[in-house]
Amino acid sequence: MEMATVRHRPEALELLEAQSKFTKKELQILYRGFKNPSFLSFPECPSGVVNEETFKEIYSQFFPQGDSTNYAHFLFNAFDTDHNGSVSFEDFVMGLSILLRGTVQEKLNWAFNLYDINKDGYITKEEMLDIMKAIYDMMGKCTYPVLKEDAPRQHVETFFQKMDKNKDGVVTIEEFIESCQKDENIMRSMQLFENVI
Amino acid sequence: MAAGVAAWLPFARAAAIGWMPVANCPMPLAPTEKNKRQDELIILNVSGRRFQTWRTTLERYPDTLLGSTEKEFFFNEDTKEYFFDRDPEVFRCILNFYRTGKLHYPRYECISAYDEELAFYGILPEIIGDCCYEEYKDRKRENAERLMDDNDSENNQEGSMPSLSFRQTMWRAFENPHTSTLALVFYYVTGFFIAVSVITNVVETVPCGAVPGSRELSCGERYAVAFFCLDTACVMIFTVEYLLRLFAAPSRYRFIRSVMSIIDVVAIMPYYIGLVMTNNEDVSGAFVTLRVFRVFRIFKFSRHSQGLRILGYTLKSCASELGFLLFSLTMAIIIFATVMFYAEKGSSASKFTSIPASFWYTIVTMTTLGYGDMVPKTIAGKIFGSICSLSGVLVIALPVPVIVSNFSRIYHQNQRADKRRAQKKARLARIRVAKTGSSNAYLHSKRNGLLNEALELTGSTEDEQHVTKGTSLIESQHHHLLHCLEKTTGLSYLVDDPLLSVRTSTIKNHEFIDEQLFEQNCMESSMQNYPSSRSPSLSSQHGLGSSGCSRRSKRSHLPNASVAATRLRSLQELSTIHVPCSQQPSLTTSRSSLNMKSDDGLRPNCKAAQITTAIISIPTPPALTPEGESRPPPSPSHASIPTTTSNIVKVSAL
């Protein structure tokens, strides 16, 4: 409960500029969006950090038709690198720095980290299934074709066929990166969001 | 999409990288920012007061005055600022709307002035935030009522009323006696007769002088005929009234079931039953009981009194408190009666003959009545009796103020609850509209975006005006994000909107068919050459996987060609083909078109490496083919030979 009264100030602009790959102007734009007053009205959201509820709320605005709470939860965990329950501006900037300005290796690393729910270095089928279900949930009910019950599972099977080289039932980071680098679609789509800021 | 959330769009898009390794289809291209200007401060001069904000802040809502190019009309070249000759106080709220995404309504503002300003700036009042919406609606309604009153009084003076049917006029007259003089007369007449009836019932029983030589008679027996006539008159009036109400009621069934009509029936039934019944000794007892029900006529007054109705409603809603009171009383009564019985058992000639007999003592004592007909005589009895009376005060005194305060609370709450219910429905409707609006917007833009691509492919510049302009960059980015999600999962959004299915020439429907479903279908149904152009090639597959969602929007067969169809004849789109290279030579496509020419087609291929595709959506039935149009050649496709690991082949058609 002390979090509510603590005002979190981000690190100095120069420091963040040095640590991340953004310029000062970009950091300014990011911070203006991050510290948007419309989220300070959230009673549980102390200023300066974003908590999981806000994440879920943001995502539900972007995907109104489906249920994005699960995916937002996984995403939150991926951003909250120090696992203290809230995403500060530094976490935010570091995450975005990897996603937008990082090398392909770093991006794949980040994606692996997202899928690896318990952060043990292996993606198991159950973890992947959770992630897949969360993604499919975001589409919602009204889709064409209708989402079948085992569509996520099938998708996971396809994924594992592609990624799991030694067929041991888990995907390690090396297997993941190797498989992704061989797939030119994935490589190309990694570059898709270069100019987001 | 809320303004504040738009600032998080870059984050959501960046996080979409998390879907990439999972996706089976390649992602669509991102919308490019054609003219990426640096964000600049713009100055808004409103009647001398200067406001400054970022340009992107205003562009969050492109369909308002400030967010669109309409504000250029107010641009002052000399001072390089936008000048508005309007109220600066209200402008503050409006600018805050752009900043925070919430529109507030200040209480000190006049409602009509505020509405005018909103209309000027092109902002719909429906987006007022929940914190201020109640206030706004209340004020608006008061204003509307005031206007309506003014209009009504004007109308009444003129004497022109909208013509209702006879039945409706009658019903209105019954419900609201102030509508016309006749209704008022009716109201008072019935009220008078109710009073007369009740008084006669009462006076009937008063002993009124004795006929010499017999016992004292009540007035009712002495002047039997007179009372009978009075009773008959009253009942006739009530019957006529009931029948008239029944005739005029808009929903007779509901009227019959309503409380007031039941009271009416109960009030007049005894008379008729009395008429029918003979003066038999056996049934006269029952007959007498029936006369008791005549007292229910007094409840008919509740039509005449608003307060009675509210009281009745309050009692109904206070049922739980009353029930609690009753329950606790019953508990206490039983306890004390038992105790008193056993305490007084010893004393001789005690009136406490049984526990039920002691109930009477307990009730009288607890309600502090104390008639004195039953009094404890033993010491133990007296002690327990005093405890009983003390606890009685507590048990009864406690719930009563609760009920009273409940009454007052419910009275006010009743008024507020109705208001809130109406607003909740409206609010949910607004949210629903916003949701479908955003997905509608997405589907529209998807369509337009593909049309754009296609137009660019063919180099045609003519149909650009069909494409909606004014899709802000943020919207196009949001749509791109949704598109990526569709690609990742292999599903696509559906919106139930009949309007989507009818557009002129620019509809291009595409459906993403799930890879697995498709393989299944291909294996099941034999791949036929797609014959006539009317039937969608994959109609058999469409039949499967039907959902509750309406698919009208995707299944429109355009009945008429439109002129622009000719320009679309060479339109083709990128399509993605899944080729399961390893096993079946079946061909899957992920797009299907509605009206395909007969020789276009997905030809089944036996060799995995060779893929053909021709997805051409030309919304013309063959009969109306303009003569210059040639059938588009079957497109050879450049298939990129898939790598051994990947099953996805991207094909670019001609």
Side-chain angles (χ1 to χ4, degrees), chain B residues 543-592:
Chain B
L544 300 169
S546 60
S547 71
C549 296
S550 138
R551 302 208 305 261
R552 284 175 295 180
S553 58
K554 300 285 189 181
R555 198 87 54 240
S556 68
H557 295 268
L558 296 167
N560 308 309
S562 61
V563 181
T566 56
R567 303 191 188 107
L568 297 178
R569 67 166 176 238
S570 48
L571 276 183
Q572 307 188 3
E573 7 171 350
L574 295 172
S575 64
T576 311
I577 306 221
H578 298 274
V579 176
C581 303
S582 42
Q583 63 279 53
Q584 290 266 359
S586 59
L587 189 82
T588 66
T589 63
S590 67
R591 307 272 174 99
S592 76

Side-chain angles (χ1 to χ4, degrees), chain B residues 285-305:
Chain B
F287 178 61
V288 163
T289 320
L290 271 182
R291 288 171 81 98
V292 166
F293 283 102
R294 289 188 305 171
V295 79
F296 274 82
R297 289 178 195 166
I298 207 171
F299 282 116
K300 287 165 69 80
F301 266 130
S302 56
R303 274 219 185 87
H304 299 250
S305 156

Side-chain angles (χ1 to χ4, degrees), chain B residues 363-375:
Chain B
I363 292 175
V364 167
T365 314
M366 282 184 88
T367 53
T368 70
L369 279 175
Y371 287 135
D373 54 349
M374 278 165 88
V375 182

Side-chain angles (χ1 to χ4, degrees), chain A residues 123-137:
Chain A
I123 304 180
T124 63
K125 283 199 177 163
E126 286 73 28
E127 289 175 338
M128 205 56 218
L129 189 60
D130 284 340
I131 299 265
M132 203 63 77
K133 279 200 195 133
I135 294 181
Y136 273 86
D137 280 343

Side-chain angles (χ1 to χ4, degrees), chain B residues 478-551:
Chain B
H478 185 209
H479 294 162
H480 174 247
L481 187 64
L482 291 174
H483 203 178
C484 284
L485 181 61
E486 282 187 346
K487 289 279 198 180
T488 308
T489 56
L491 312 168
S492 76
Y493 279 108
L494 271 186
V495 172
D496 184 8
D497 179 6
L499 288 179
L500 283 184
S501 61
V502 178
R503 281 256 289 231
T504 49
S505 63
T506 54
I507 292 185
K508 193 174 303 191
N509 290 328
H510 51 95
E511 287 134 337
F512 298 95
I513 302 183
D514 195 16
E515 187 185 274
Q516 285 82 14
L517 178 63
F518 214 96
E519 281 179 27
Q520 229 174 50
N521 296 334
C522 289
M523 289 185 231
E524 285 168 21
S525 66
S526 55
M527 292 293 283
Q528 62 268 57
N529 258 331
Y530 304 101
S532 69
S533 50
R534 291 309 293 237
S535 58
S537 59
L538 304 165
S539 55
S540 54
Q541 283 89 3
H542 297 169
L544 300 169
S546 60
S547 71
C549 296
S550 138
R551 302 208 305 261

Side-chain angles (χ1 to χ4, degrees), chain A residues 32-33 55 58-59 62-63 65 71 79 96 99 115 132 136 139 142-146 155 189 192-193 196-197, chain B residues 5 9-11 17-19 21-22 24 36 39 54 439 478 482 488-489 491-494 512 542 547 549:
Chain A
R32 274 192 353 233
F55 244 64
I58 295 170
Y59 255 74
F62 286 127
F63 301 99
Q65 290 223 328
Y71 187 70
F79 266 86
L96 276 189
L99 285 173
Y115 301 146
M132 203 63 77
Y136 273 86
M139 285 293 294
C142 280
T143 58
Y144 180 77
V146 176
H155 207 148
S189 44
L192 200 59
F193 293 110
V196 161
I197 297 286
Chain B
V5 186
L9 187 58
F11 158 73
I17 287 187
W19 304 333
V22 178
N24 292 321
K36 182 168 181 167
D39 209 4
W54 298 108
S439 16
H478 185 209
L482 291 174
T488 308
T489 56
L491 312 168
S492 76
Y493 279 108
L494 271 186
F512 298 95
H542 297 169
S547 71
C549 296

Side-chain angles (χ1 to χ4, degrees), chain B residues 598-614:
Chain B
S598 47
D599 59 332
D600 311 330
L602 307 159
R603 300 208 187 80
N605 255 311
C606 298
K607 298 294 167 267
Q610 210 181 347
I611 300 110
T612 61
T613 178

